[in-house]
């Protein structure tokens, strides 16, 4: 009689984590930055149909890297969660913190009980009345949650790109300033996945970007996409 194949729990969790990290690392990075009037999201994404940045509720947005079909299912689940909670209680009861906790439970359950973890990393953001009230939550494939402040970079060469953003970002920057920083950061990743040196970044046209903001000045629905000529003018300082 053959002995059953045995893998220790530690090795099993490590293998799942390595698998998920490799899948996430192959995706293009997403940069999220706070600015004076809200929160900006940017990623290199020429598609106009397959979004990595989306609205969840009035003042809450979602950004993701990894496998599209997996994070799209999570986005839809988040919209349903927000709609149900807002309808059952009150619209103000829908918060980024509550949504992040719900996502964390789903990601953690899949990571520990399923044979394959979700190859996704998420940011859930909520814009507040002031910059101090803004909320940024980063969720990993294993359900861990981090409360971030100011900016987040995920996917691709996230560690190296984070250092670039840290050097260039400061509180109170305007929208044009943070978007230029985001585009320079995204352009630092070459087509082969390596990271270029300072001043050697690729130029990314407005058509190759997906950009959105949560604008605290908007009365109810804070989410807005920037694209086309309006985005090009903003990036070149003409708006």
């Amino acid at each position: 009689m053959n002995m059953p194949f045995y893998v220790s729990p530690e090795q099993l969790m490590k293998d799942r984590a390595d698998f998920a990290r490799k899948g996430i690392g192959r995706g293009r990075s997403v940069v999220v930055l706070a600015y004076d009037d809200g929160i900006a999201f940017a990623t290199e994404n020429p598609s106009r149909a397959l979004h990595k940045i989306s609205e969840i509720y009035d003042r809450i947005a979602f950004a993701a890297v990894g496998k599209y079909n997996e994070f799209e299912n999570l986005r839809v689940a988040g919209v349903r969660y927000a709609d149900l909670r807002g309808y059952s209680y009150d619209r103000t009861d829908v918060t980024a913190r509550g949504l992040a906790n719900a996502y964390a439970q789903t990601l953690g359950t899949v990571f520990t009980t399923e044979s394959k973890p979700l190859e996704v990393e998420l940011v859930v953001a909520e814009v507040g009345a002031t910059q101090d009230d803004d909320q940024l939550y980063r969720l990993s494939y294993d359900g861990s949650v981090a409360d971030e402040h100011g900016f987040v970079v995920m996917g691709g060469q996230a560690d190296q790109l984070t250092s670039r953003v840290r050097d260039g970002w400061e509180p109170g920057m305007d929208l044009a300033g943070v978007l230029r920083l985001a585009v320079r950061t995204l352009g630092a990743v070459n087509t082969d996945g390596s990271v270029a040196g300072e001043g050697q970044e690729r130029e990314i046209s407005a058509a190759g970007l997906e950009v959105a903001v949560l604008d605290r000045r908007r009365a109810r629905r804070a989410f807005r996409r920037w694209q086309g000529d309006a985005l090009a003018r903003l990036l070149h300082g003409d708006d």
Side-chain angles (χ1 to χ4, degrees), residues 143-178:
S144 59
V145 185
D147 183 7
E148 303 286 355
H149 301 279
F151 58 85
V152 179
V153 182
M154 57 181 182
Q157 303 290 340
D159 292 339
Q160 296 181 61
L161 299 185
T162 296
S163 65
R164 284 175 173 253
V165 174
R166 185 180 294 112
D167 292 340
W169 180 86
E170 59 185 27
M173 293 177 69
D174 62 9
L175 177 59
V178 296

Side-chain angles (χ1 to χ4, degrees), residues 58-185:
D58 294 346
R59 307 183 74 77
I60 300 173
F62 165 103
V65 294
K67 285 192 84 170
Y68 175 80
N69 66 309
E70 293 181 350
F71 67 67
E72 176 64 10
N73 286 337
L74 291 171
R75 182 194 68 83
V76 172
V79 171
R80 289 173 178 164
Y81 164 91
D83 283 344
L84 179 60
R85 188 166 185 83
Y87 179 77
S88 301
Y89 300 98
D90 187 82
R91 301 188 77 87
T92 57
D93 290 323
V94 182
T95 64
R97 181 178 179 181
L99 183 60
N101 286 334
Y103 279 144
Q105 292 177 31
T106 300
L107 290 167
T109 299
V110 171
F111 183 76
T112 55
T113 62
E114 301 294 331
S115 59
K116 189 192 86 67
L118 294 178
E119 299 170 63
V120 298
E121 194 169 3
L122 314 176
V123 163
V124 177
E126 180 177 1
V127 67
T130 68
Q131 203 163 10
D132 291 337
D133 297 325
D134 293 344
Q135 297 180 45
L136 277 175
Y137 297 100
R138 179 178 186 169
L139 294 102
S140 297
Y141 54 85
D142 60 356
S144 59
V145 185
D147 183 7
E148 303 286 355
H149 301 279
F151 58 85
V152 179
V153 182
M154 57 181 182
Q157 303 290 340
D159 292 339
Q160 296 181 61
L161 299 185
T162 296
S163 65
R164 284 175 173 253
V165 174
R166 185 180 294 112
D167 292 340
W169 180 86
E170 59 185 27
M173 293 177 69
D174 62 9
L175 177 59
V178 296
L179 288 183
R180 289 174 197 144
L181 173 59
V183 173
R184 286 198 307 273
T185 302

